[in-house]
Amino acid sequence: MTADAPRTPAQNTTTLYRNARVFTAAADEADRWADAFAVAGDTIVWVGRAGEEPPAADATVDLEGRLVLPGFTDAHTHVLMMGAALGQVYLTEARDLHDIRSLLLAAREADPSATVLRGRGWLFDAVPGGAPTAAMIDEAIADIPVYLDANDYHSCWVNTVALAELGITRDTPDPIGGEIVRDASGEPTGMLLETAATQYAWAQRDEATTDADRDEQVQRTLDAYLATGVTGVVDMAMDEFGLAALQRAQERHGGELPLRVAVHWLVTNTGDDARNLAQVEHAARLAAAPATPWLRVVGIKLILDGVIDACTAAMRHPYADGSNADPIWPLERLAPVVRAADAAGLQIAQHAIGDYASQIALDALEQAVAANGDRPRRHRIEHLEYAAPGTAERMASLGVTASMQPVHSDPAIFDNWMAMLGDDRVERAFPWPEYEEAGALLAFSTDSPTAPHQALANMYVASTRASALEPAIAAVQPQHALPLQNAVAHATRDAAASVGDGEWRGRIAEGCAADFVVLDTDVFAEDPRALLRAEIVRTVVAGRVRFER
């Protein structure tokens, strides 16, 4: 590239970007490609093709034929958790217990003064029988607490010292929506499922984490996203700790953030309607408080069920082993919360992985619409890993967004998922074309740190159904892959629209925010694996260069 883009453009300064291959993400295919665009201050003011007369510009940047995309929006992520995970022992590549122990031992040897060891990303099929125990960790590390979050972050595997630190004994009751796994004699095994992980292991983590730690985690996440072309994120489990950390980051950055952050406040099922509704009221107050274009509370998050890998997702029909799981939010507890949040104008995001969970999510939304009448709303269902036929059409009729994560279908981590269902349901895993055909808004994201945060790797899985983690692995259910143009549009235009921002960002179009990325490779013109080697050359947010390689 020749000439430098202005890093802090004045509002009346216009920069022309020319000699580019620009994917605009326009809904109309005829408008999907351009060759040049102009930015005034923080806004795109002109988009054109070769031969068209550009506006007068104060500066010109020759992009030398490089590909330009709208900035990616990770429409479902966890900012603090991602930042923490980037500093923990990464276990997803471990293929068996020996690998897991070796990685833990290496981390312990690298920091012998550590008083706790935290890891993340282990897979159920890397553990004998898919049943982790504290004793398995104890054989490697028994002198300090060890906390290992599963790849889906719905389970935490701990050692004996950690069980003691948490005060978990045979007499400790299971929390609502969770389980302390026990052996035949009733003793805890070291496995904490769903809310047992959050109310014990994660609560301990939060207590042990300082504000300085959280500040570092936020900055680590912001830097990592900008380096991979992400210009906006939607946090899907916000709490007091996270919001305060983001507010401090905004202050450190002069009243703004280097990328745009919208958050959903986590509302947990206490088993008591009054306490549940009080959480909604608190979220509504936060959403009504003064906000900035960089940080705002937009809605609530409800976790209706668990995950298929641990057989904790709520299904209409049993798993291969004959078991099933109850929803964390049964409809009688869920409906009042959804109705109140809808009435308050909050966006409702419901985690629903199993088909029974997505059924009750839509039941609750239909009840809210009936109670509150016609009003602007754009609610969402998160994940939809297995949803019954007809779900996409039902969502489209209600205007509900399908928020899905291509990287969760990566074949390298998919064997256990398929084994848990064990029947023809696996052929309908992550059927993204169904949502397109039904006319439902489809927004792509990564759910980091449950999966890698890199946007281009996400697009590789979306457009091939092959593995970004282990490219030698063959594609699984390639009939559900999408054309790359569609995949990128779902991760840019539609991801921005999923939080109500579709009119002003997510596209390279006149009047939209100047949020865009420049790649070193034209991934549309090459083999799909180009997505795995392509690099982001420049990330621009609001007209300012936020990352440059």
Side-chain angles (χ1 to χ4, degrees), residues 122-132 136 191 309-310 416 420:
W122 58 270
L123 304 172
F124 278 90
D125 50 11
V127 181
M136 292 177 185
M191 187 63 175
D309 279 293
N416 185 73
M420 294 304 98

Side-chain angles (χ1 to χ4, degrees), residues 341-366:
D342 180 71
L346 295 169
Q347 184 179 52
I348 303 163
Q350 300 182 76
H351 165 120
I353 283 181
D355 56 346
Y356 181 59
S358 56
Q359 173 185 314
I360 63 174
L362 291 171
D363 288 347
L365 289 173
E366 285 179 345

Side-chain angles (χ1 to χ4, degrees), residues 331 334-335 338-339 342 348 350 358-373 377 379 381 390-391 393-400:
L331 184 58
L334 177 66
V338 168
R339 186 165 58 249
D342 180 71
I348 303 163
Q350 300 182 76
S358 56
Q359 173 185 314
I360 63 174
L362 291 171
D363 288 347
L365 289 173
E366 285 179 345
Q367 291 184 27
V369 170
N372 298 328
R377 50 170 66 89
H379 301 313
I381 296 182
T391 301
E393 290 77 10
R394 192 177 176 196
M395 291 175 65
S397 69
L398 287 169
V400 176

Side-chain angles (χ1 to χ4, degrees), residues 386 421-429:
Y386 178 77
L421 292 183
D423 54 29
D424 59 3
R425 287 176 291 185
V426 303
E427 296 303 319
R428 297 195 62 262

Side-chain angles (χ1 to χ4, degrees), residues 252-271:
R252 289 195 305 275
H253 287 274
E256 60 184 48
L257 291 169
L259 52 75
R260 307 178 193 279
V261 182
V263 307
H264 282 74
W265 196 256
L266 181 62
V267 173
T268 60
N269 180 18
T270 66

Side-chain angles (χ1 to χ4, degrees), residues 152-195:
D152 52 41
Y153 276 76
H154 279 252
S155 307
C156 189
W157 174 18
V158 303
N159 67 351
T160 300
V161 180
L163 281 173
E165 180 174 62
L166 297 173
I168 293 176
T169 70
R170 64 181 297 120
D171 299 320
T172 305
D174 290 339
I176 294 173
E179 179 186 356
I180 299 168
V181 179
R182 305 168 200 271
D183 62 21
S185 66
E187 293 294 335
T189 65
M191 187 63 175
L192 308 175
L193 301 177
E194 301 300 336
T195 59

Side-chain angles (χ1 to χ4, degrees), residues 75 234-236 262-265 283 287 296-302 338 341-350 365 376-382 399-401 441 495-501:
V234 184
D235 189 288
M236 272 295 166
V263 307
H264 282 74
W265 196 256
R296 68 196 199 275
V297 177
V298 298
I300 63 167
K301 167 74 175 299
L302 302 164
V338 168
D342 180 71
L346 295 169
Q347 184 179 52
I348 303 163
Q350 300 182 76
L365 289 173
R377 50 170 66 89
R378 170 59 77 181
H379 301 313
R380 313 159 48 119
I381 296 182
E382 311 300 313
V400 176
T401 297
L441 184 70
S498 74
V499 284
D501 296 347

